[in-house]
Amino acid sequence: MKPNLIGGEWVTSSSGVENINPSNTNDLIDVFAQSGRAEAEQAVAAAASAFEDWSLSPVQQRHDILKDIGDTILARKAEIGEMLAREEGKILPEAIAETERAGRIFLFFAAEALRLTGELLPSVRPRVSVEVTREPVGPVGLVTPWNFPIAIPAWKIAPALCFGNSVVFKPAEQVPGTAWLLAEIIDKSGLPKGVFNLVIGPGPVVGQAILDAPEIRAVSFTGSQVTGRIVAEACLRQNRKFQVEMGGKNPLVVVDDADLEVATDAALDGAFFSTGQRCTASSRLIVTDGIHARFVERLTEKVRALKVGPALDPMSQMGPVVDQTQLDQDMSFIEGARRDGANLRVGGERVECATPGFFLAPTLFTDTDPAMRINREEVFGPVATVIRVRDYDHALDLANDTPFGLTAGICTTSLKFSQHFKRHAQAGMVMVNLPTAGVDYHVPFGGTKASSMGPREQGQAAAEFFTTLKTAYIRG
Ligand code: NAD
């Protein structure tokens, strides 16, 4: 059984849980610790006792450790990518690219450790000066979803360590293997014992124990809206910082003057790559009258040509969905959309492959109404809808007519539309002639409205969450 990492020791749990490959349910990947509250509390205690020394550690030490982690991830990207593809189901090239991104995130924050700055200002009072510095927040809890098993943990763990915090990390139940490999790399990096702790186990038990611990001074969470609310409310009760990144229902607007190939490529990638299991997926394709027929026809051809298959098969272009629960959720949305009168243009059914797995055909609905459930709620699978609109203004209205606000995209050759959309789309990230998914690792990430609460993640913006400002007044 693969154990937890608590206080620098690999600690086994009394019970274990099997990790099954969604591309082949006969393939048992491994058995992982199924931790309870006690293990989570031990991890919190370890992070609390390691915090002070780490918070005062020299930036050279932080740089060297983060660089070692980043370099090792890059050196082992084929092996980690294979584990990721095997347990999550995205195809191998996507899994390796995600692993590479995680390595680069650690290298980015290795460099950031050497760039910590403060401000020295004159006071408004005579003979007084003012210093503004950033200090670590404390032991932090990091709770992550299954769809980016290494990139999301990396973009929380790397800045947490960079800015001098200690960590309790709880990965999603579906992807313990990638988290375990990452923990193994961190353990060997020379990081002092207890600064980083891994606890594998169910969210309502291990996650909840982290939320209940008063020693935890900040929680960074990515996942569903339902859990995000639990996290936010628990943090408010504990008077602690939180950042919660949740779902999306991201619009990709296509206007008459769009380049048809650019627009259909953006829609294909945004809606179906990574099996559509991206919070930034282009799930609503909002298309103006003049290009609608050509867009639907060309996109249909491209969706039909997508080859669904096992994640490790080099011929596969789209892997399975992550598990039976997610497959059931996707199918219930598909059946609901049919009942509501949406036109099923492609897909909508399971795909048989050589191995038993959770394979679902990429699914495209046309002639959908903005009020349908399929256009209101996040599916989190390879399912997209086309909504036909009169013109750009109509498209923008519908793009913003959602409780979510993570990403929004527009395909157009017009400067006027792209400039207007950038300013008026209600989303934290806006893409022009690009899929709504696919972001850089060195710039801020996050949404508005029901998609996100709290400071942005990634890039230099990460300092805001993982540090607290101190203002010191000095006379003399
Ligand atoms: P989820 O909310 O079910 O689980 C996320 C994490 O929370 C898991 O580690 C889980 O074990 C834990 N958890 C569950 N219950 C908990 C509790 N009571 N207390 C503490 N922790 C608990 O989400 P998921 O199904 O793993 O991920 C899919 C969701 O994540 C989608 O809605 C997707 O849009 C969202 N997501 C958002 C972003 C973003 O940055 N906005 C990125 C990726 C995924």
Side-chain angles (χ1 to χ4, degrees):
M1 186 198 306
K2 288 278 191 291
N4 293 309
L5 178 62
I6 299 176
E9 308 297 330
W10 290 99
V11 188
T12 46
S13 192
S14 52
S15 58
V17 65
E18 293 186 340
N19 185 14
I20 304 288
N21 179 347
S23 299
N24 177 4
T25 51
N26 293 326
D27 176 26
L28 170 65
I29 297 170
D30 213 328
V31 177
F32 288 84
Q34 176 77 328
S35 318
R37 224 182 146 79
E39 284 102 325
E41 287 169 355
Q42 286 160 20
V44 169
S49 70
F51 170 68
E52 179 152 350
D53 280 355
W54 181 247
S55 72
L56 300 171
S57 58
V59 292
Q60 187 66 54
Q61 185 187 7
R62 296 186 208 174
H63 165 274
D64 293 351
I65 287 168
L66 290 166
K67 179 162 185 316
D68 181 82
I69 298 168
D71 286 342
T72 311
I73 292 171
L74 291 176
R76 291 174 62 181
K77 69 179 180 184
E79 170 205 355
I80 300 170
E82 186 175 326
M83 167 61 82
L84 199 166
R86 203 167 149 213
E87 68 177 355
E88 197 271 349
K90 65 183 65 172
I91 56 170
L92 188 59
E94 290 176 334
I96 291 175
E98 184 190 328
T99 307
E100 217 174 298
R101 177 172 167 196
R104 295 196 190 288
I105 289 168
F106 276 97
L107 296 182
F108 176 87
F109 284 103
E112 284 298 284
L114 300 177
R115 287 199 198 100
L116 291 173
T117 58
E119 286 179 279
L120 179 61
L121 299 91
S123 167
V124 293
R125 288 172 277 171
R127 294 183 303 285
V128 174
S129 62
V130 185
E131 279 175 20
V132 182
T133 50
R134 286 191 179 276
E135 294 184 353
V137 181
V140 298
L142 308 180
V143 180
T144 55
W146 49 263
N147 65 327
F148 283 97
I150 193 160
I152 293 179
W155 83 51
K156 295 183 191 298
I157 295 166
L161 298 178
C162 167
F163 297 116
N165 304 282
S166 56
V167 168
V168 178
F169 168 44
K170 194 213 91 60
E173 290 87 323
Q174 296 88 338
V175 288
T178 311
W180 199 89
L181 288 175
L182 177 59
E184 188 191 36
I185 290 169
I186 295 174
D187 182 44
K188 288 184 179 152
S189 67
L191 189 70
K193 285 180 189 300
V195 175
F196 171 84
N197 303 274
L198 167 76
V199 192
I200 303 168
V205 180
V206 170
Q208 192 62 48
I210 294 170
L211 295 180
D212 292 343
E215 298 92 329
I216 295 292
R217 296 315 310 142
V219 173
S220 179
F221 164 86
T222 301
S224 64
Q225 257 196 312
V226 174
T227 317
R229 275 208 195 102
I230 294 173
V231 171
E233 284 169 13
C235 290
L236 285 173
R237 277 196 297 277
Q238 298 269 5
N239 285 315
R240 70 157 81 93
K241 282 177 104 167
F242 62 89
Q243 66 183 176
V244 291
E245 286 295 339
M246 299 166 288
K249 194 70 200 169
N250 311 294
L252 179 68
V253 167
V254 179
V255 292
D256 286 356
D257 68 11
D259 179 309
L260 190 63
E261 285 310 303
V262 167
T264 48
D265 281 349
L268 188 80
D269 173 328
F272 302 112
F273 287 13
S274 295
T275 319
Q277 298 177 142
R278 294 190 282 190
C279 52
T280 48
S282 313
S283 52
R284 293 182 299 142
L285 310 172
I286 303 175
V287 185
T288 55
D289 261 341
I291 194 170
H292 179 269
R294 283 178 293 137
F295 175 85
V296 168
E297 193 179 328
R298 186 75 185 109
L299 181 60
T300 301
E301 281 168 19
K302 291 184 178 179
V303 176
R304 281 219 173 94
L306 267 186
K307 170 106 180 64
V308 177
L312 295 180
D313 181 339
M315 299 306 288
S316 301
Q317 294 172 304
M318 193 182 101
V321 302
V322 72
D323 61 13
Q324 185 69 51
T325 308
Q326 187 61 50
L327 182 65
D328 292 345
Q329 178 174 317
D330 297 350
M331 290 309 289
S332 109
F333 270 103
I334 290 169
E335 278 148 28
R338 287 169 113 155
R339 269 199 311 276
D340 289 345
N343 176 24
L344 179 61
R345 180 88 187 192
V346 196
E349 75 278 303
R350 293 189 63 168
V351 176
E352 289 297 317
C353 292
T355 49
F358 308 113
F359 301 104
L360 177 61
T363 300
L364 183 68
F365 284 101
T366 57
D367 308 301
T368 70
D369 187 280
M372 288 175 180
R373 179 172 172 241
I374 191 93
N375 281 325
R376 306 300 307 168
E377 295 174 28
E378 184 183 47
V379 179
F380 217 55
V383 182
T385 63
V386 177
I387 306 172
R388 183 175 185 150
V389 289
R390 289 185 303 277
D391 53 20
Y392 168 76
D393 290 336
H394 190 193
L396 179 64
D397 278 353
L398 291 188
N400 288 336
D401 179 22
T402 168
F404 296 102
L406 193 56
T407 61
I410 186 166
C411 293
T412 178
T413 50
S414 149
L415 186 63
K416 181 180 73 173
F417 291 143
S418 64
Q419 290 294 89
H420 191 270
F421 190 80
K422 263 193 298 174
R423 174 63 188 84
H424 295 279
Q426 294 167 1
M429 295 167 286
V430 178
M431 321 296 190
V432 177
N433 292 319
L434 287 165
T436 56
V439 294
D440 287 3
Y441 64 86
H442 66 307
V443 290
F445 177 96
T448 60
K449 294 159 67 175
S451 291
S452 306
M453 269 189 285
R456 289 285 186 259
E457 303 202 69
Q458 301 198 61
Q460 292 183 326
E464 170 131 10
F465 182 73
F466 286 106
T467 62
T468 182
L469 283 176
K470 180 169 278 176
T471 312
Y473 295 87
I474 305 111
R475 182 173 165 187

